[in-house]
Amino acid sequence: TQASKRPTGIFASARRIARLSRRRAPKLDRGKIDVSLSKLPRPAGERVVADEEGRRAVTYYSVVEHAGHRVAWLALMPVTGRTHQLRVHLAASGSPIAGDDLYGPDWREGAATSAERVQLHAAALRLRLAPNTAEVEIRAPLPADFLTGRGARI
C-alpha cells in the first residue's frame, strides 16, 4: 500500500521517524514546533499538555514522504527532551502520530489512520558515553510493522 512505502531522502539523518495520522497536513514541509509543555497529574497517570506556563520544548520536523492523502512520514529532531514531547507537539499541531491513543484521536473517532502501537521510532541517537569522549551514533532500522504497514488501519 501507499502507506507502507519506506521513507527515503533525509531519513538517514533523522533522530526519530514517525508515521502520522493526518487530520490535516502540516502547513510546511519542514519547520519548528516551539510549544511549552506541562505535566498534569491524573488518576490514570500523568499526562503532558501544551501550556504557555510550562517548560520550553522545541522540535524540528521535516516531511520525508507523503504516502497517499492521509499519511506522511516525518523526520523529527527534538532539541529538548521533555516527556512525550514529540507526541504532544504533533498532536497539538493537528497531525497526531498514528497509533497514539493517549494524545491522538482514537481511530474509531475519525482518525485518518491508526495502528496497533504508536508509530514512533528512534532511528538514530547520538550521545557521549563519558565526558571528553567522542560522540557515539547508534542507528536502528525501522521495525517490520513500519515497513509493511501491518497493524495500520487506513
Side-chain angles (χ1 to χ4, degrees), residues 2-3 5 7 11 25 30 35 37 40 51 58 62 78 84 87 92 96-97 104 117 124 136 140 142-143 146 148:
Q2 280 275 30
K5 287 177 70 177
F11 169 69
R30 64 182 51 232
V35 175
L37 304 175
L40 293 180
D51 178 11
V58 177
S62 180
H84 295 185
R87 296 169 68 184
I97 298 172
R117 66 178 182 87
V136 174
L142 286 173
F146 270 54
T148 64

Side-chain angles (χ1 to χ4, degrees), residues 47-68:
R47 181 177 172 93
V48 178
V49 297
D51 178 11
E52 289 179 8
E53 306 283 319
R55 296 178 71 190
R56 185 168 187 228
V58 177
T59 301
Y60 288 96
Y61 72 89
S62 180
V63 174
V64 175
E65 187 172 347
H66 293 280

Side-chain angles (χ1 to χ4, degrees), residues 8-144:
T8 56
I10 66 165
F11 169 69
S13 63
R15 283 187 169 174
R16 302 273 200 280
I17 191 84
R19 180 166 45 197
L20 292 187
S21 165
R22 288 185 4 198
R23 294 190 120 184
R24 90 183 147 84
K27 291 182 180 177
L28 303 172
D29 278 346
R30 64 182 51 232
K32 175 181 168 182
I33 302 170
D34 189 345
V35 175
S36 296
L37 304 175
S38 290
K39 293 179 182 180
L40 293 180
R42 54 184 201 144
E46 135 184 305
R47 181 177 172 93
V48 178
V49 297
D51 178 11
E52 289 179 8
E53 306 283 319
R55 296 178 71 190
R56 185 168 187 228
V58 177
T59 301
Y60 288 96
Y61 72 89
S62 180
V63 174
V64 175
E65 187 172 347
H66 293 280
H69 299 291
R70 300 181 296 179
V71 177
W73 292 92
L74 279 187
L76 305 168
M77 286 136 273
V79 175
T80 52
R82 308 285 175 236
T83 301
H84 295 185
Q85 175 179 322
L86 301 176
R87 296 169 68 184
V88 177
H89 272 175
L90 290 173
S93 71
S95 297
I97 298 172
D100 192 345
D101 292 334
L102 181 59
Y103 296 107
D106 185 273
W107 71 275
R108 290 175 290 278
E109 296 173 3
T113 184
S114 192
E116 292 177 4
R117 66 178 182 87
V118 177
Q119 298 289 289
L120 179 64
H121 174 66
L125 300 172
R126 281 189 216 122
L127 56 119
R128 292 184 194 284
L129 298 176
N132 301 319
T133 62
E135 232 177 36
V136 174
E137 182 171 282
I138 302 164
R139 292 189 170 270
L142 286 173

